[in-house]
Amino acid sequence: WPVEFVSASVRQYGYEPEYFTETNRGFIGITHPDDTARVKAELEAHATAQHDEYNQEYRIVCADGSVRWVDDHTVVRRDENGEVTHHEGLIADITQRKQAEQRERELQERDLRTAAEIQSHLLPSKFPQNDTVEIEALSHPSMLIGGDYYDVLEVDDRHLGFVIADVSGKGASAALVMTECRAMMRLSAEGELSPAKVLRRVNRMLQPDMRPGMFVALFYGIIDLDTKIMQFCRAGHEPPILLHPDGEVDQLPGGGLAVGLDEGELFDEMLEEHEVQLAEGDLLALYTDGITEATNPQGEEFERVRLATSLERHLDRPLDEVVKTVDRYVRNFCVLEPNHDDRTLLLVRVL
């Protein structure tokens, strides 16, 4: 395709029109090296799709070596038979706009990092000390901020509450709901020994603030530190794994609707409260589906069985090492694959 005409306005980039017309050098010749492959791929895609008009944004290298952003608006001209005769391009300098967008992105990223720092302080890093249970946790958001939530609540002097929750969606909206859920759980749990009553109260308070289709999958259990009996409810959350010292693995029962999907009557009706007698050496694993649904390059999921197996192999190790080992197993399993979901694990071992 010969270059037939270049406007004198190209001089704003330090070039004379003849620089292109006499050598048949198109704008691809001054396109920034880091953008050249993309620009060519886009051109090919537009040609294959037979688009008659399209825009491209890329950087060019000016004659003095400076770099400018341009918007390239191309119109494809055809003859009466539909055959392409030539392309007309209008190049506009958009450097200021791109610089403003970059500044805005940097400000947004700074705000998100601040929000991430605040959110990290909302998740407990230290847990109540007692002679009945040992606790460890990990949480990795897929973005700077996430919608996973875990907590350990001192219900009273001899009862501890354990919460793990997964807000639908990702990013800022999920993080806001997670923060509100945490506040309502802490407000409702104090002194209340029935997990079902707590979740029913939380659902009624939280549901009006959630947009349609949004929900919180949540597990809440309360352990009596004297009897080692745990009462618990599942509100649409993944079933916890209970591993015994002899290697036996149980999956805790229960059903229920996720928090926020119903105003109250159906949620209350479907919520089930169960109890389990825990014993010395038992390990309770609470997790979000970001762990079990993590995929490897072949599309296989990590699944609950792999999680249980990785825990079972290291039952005799310190709990902080067990958490790190599981985290390493999941990362190695998903090597080269992006993390699309928040991952949270809360382990409780009975002493």
Side-chain angles (χ1 to χ4, degrees):
W1 291 87
V3 178
E4 296 180 353
F5 172 78
V6 175
S7 168
S9 64
V10 78
R11 293 188 178 118
Q12 66 182 301
Y13 306 117
Y15 298 102
E16 293 295 327
E18 293 75 20
Y19 179 82
F20 301 94
T21 56
E22 291 182 358
T23 60
N24 200 35
R25 181 187 288 112
F27 254 67
I28 199 68
I30 63 170
T31 299
H32 193 283
D34 291 344
D35 293 347
T36 301
R38 173 178 62 85
V39 170
K40 288 182 176 180
E42 290 176 355
L43 286 170
E44 184 176 352
H46 285 303
T48 302
Q50 297 188 356
H51 293 156
D52 287 339
E53 191 170 357
Y54 53 86
N55 282 69
Q56 292 178 280
E57 294 184 359
Y58 54 88
R59 290 166 293 178
I60 63 169
V61 180
C62 299
D64 62 1
S66 62
V67 176
R68 309 286 289 176
W69 274 94
V70 297
D71 177 87
D72 185 346
H73 179 74
T74 300
V75 177
V76 180
R77 299 300 183 186
R78 302 177 184 271
D79 60 21
E80 61 275 10
N81 298 318
E83 296 295 327
V84 177
T85 58
H86 59 284
H87 295 74
E88 294 178 2
L90 179 63
I91 306 295
D93 190 331
I94 58 170
T95 304
Q96 289 187 347
R97 192 195 84 196
K98 281 292 187 178
Q99 290 173 341
E101 290 174 353
Q102 178 63 26
R103 289 192 295 270
E104 181 66 23
R105 281 195 298 270
E106 290 172 354
L107 287 173
Q108 289 177 351
E109 184 173 342
R110 186 185 67 184
D111 290 344
L112 284 174
R113 291 192 182 280
T114 301
E117 183 178 349
I118 293 172
Q119 187 181 45
S120 68
H121 287 296
L122 297 179
L123 299 175
S125 57
K126 296 182 180 179
F127 303 103
Q129 298 297 311
N130 61 83
D131 54 3
T132 304
V133 293
E134 178 188 7
I135 309 162
E136 284 292 342
L138 69 85
S139 187
H140 298 309
S142 60
M143 304 170 68
L144 282 175
I145 53 178
D148 278 7
Y149 157 58
Y150 70 88
D151 211 346
V152 179
L153 309 174
E154 295 184 270
V155 178
D156 61 26
D157 291 342
R158 299 307 297 166
H159 291 85
L160 281 183
F162 299 91
V163 189
I164 191 164
D166 184 359
V167 181
S168 61
K170 300 180 183 67
S173 60
L176 287 171
V177 173
M178 168 268 192
T179 303
E180 189 174 3
C181 180
R182 173 187 181 274
M184 291 180 179
M185 281 296 303
R186 292 196 159 203
L187 178 66
S188 303
E190 186 176 359
E192 178 55 69
L193 299 182
S194 168
K197 288 183 179 179
V198 172
L199 294 192
R200 286 174 181 139
R201 189 179 307 159
V202 168
N203 181 66
R204 287 192 178 91
M205 291 190 294
L206 189 60
Q207 195 276 338
D209 295 340
M210 299 177 67
R211 67 169 185 258
M214 202 170 192
F215 60 87
V216 182
L218 188 148
F219 171 91
Y220 181 45
I222 301 174
I223 294 181
D224 186 319
L225 299 179
D226 295 320
T227 66
K228 299 180 181 178
I229 292 176
M230 182 178 71
Q231 293 181 301
F232 62 91
C233 289
R234 284 174 54 203
H237 200 272
E238 298 292 313
I241 298 171
L242 180 60
L243 298 98
H244 303 286
D246 60 4
E248 184 180 352
V249 180
D250 290 332
Q251 182 175 292
L252 296 189
L257 197 64
V259 172
L261 288 178
D262 174 72
E263 295 179 358
E265 186 174 339
L266 181 60
F267 180 89
D268 293 352
E269 180 183 339
M270 294 184 65
L271 193 65
E272 303 173 4
E273 188 169 285
H274 297 267
E275 74 173 36
V276 60
Q277 176 68 64
L278 302 176
E280 182 180 345
D282 284 347
L283 179 63
L284 178 67
L286 310 177
Y287 56 93
T288 58
D289 59 11
I291 291 179
T292 52
E293 294 180 3
T295 56
N296 64 12
Q298 290 73 46
E300 298 174 305
E301 293 188 347
F302 191 72
E303 296 182 337
R304 194 177 297 114
V305 173
R306 284 190 178 90
L307 175 58
T309 301
S310 62
L311 291 168
E312 185 181 4
R313 289 175 179 170
H314 305 283
L315 279 177
D316 58 343
R317 296 174 61 181
L319 211 54
D320 60 339
E321 292 185 17
V322 177
V323 166
K324 293 175 183 176
T325 299
V326 173
D327 187 33
R328 186 172 68 251
Y329 281 174
V330 176
R331 290 177 183 271
N332 291 344
F333 181 82
C334 303
V335 65
L336 302 180
E337 289 298 299
N339 181 12
H340 293 298
D341 201 359
D342 305 330
R343 299 172 184 165
T344 300
L345 176 67
L346 177 63
L347 297 183
V348 182
R349 173 184 281 160
V350 181
L351 302 175

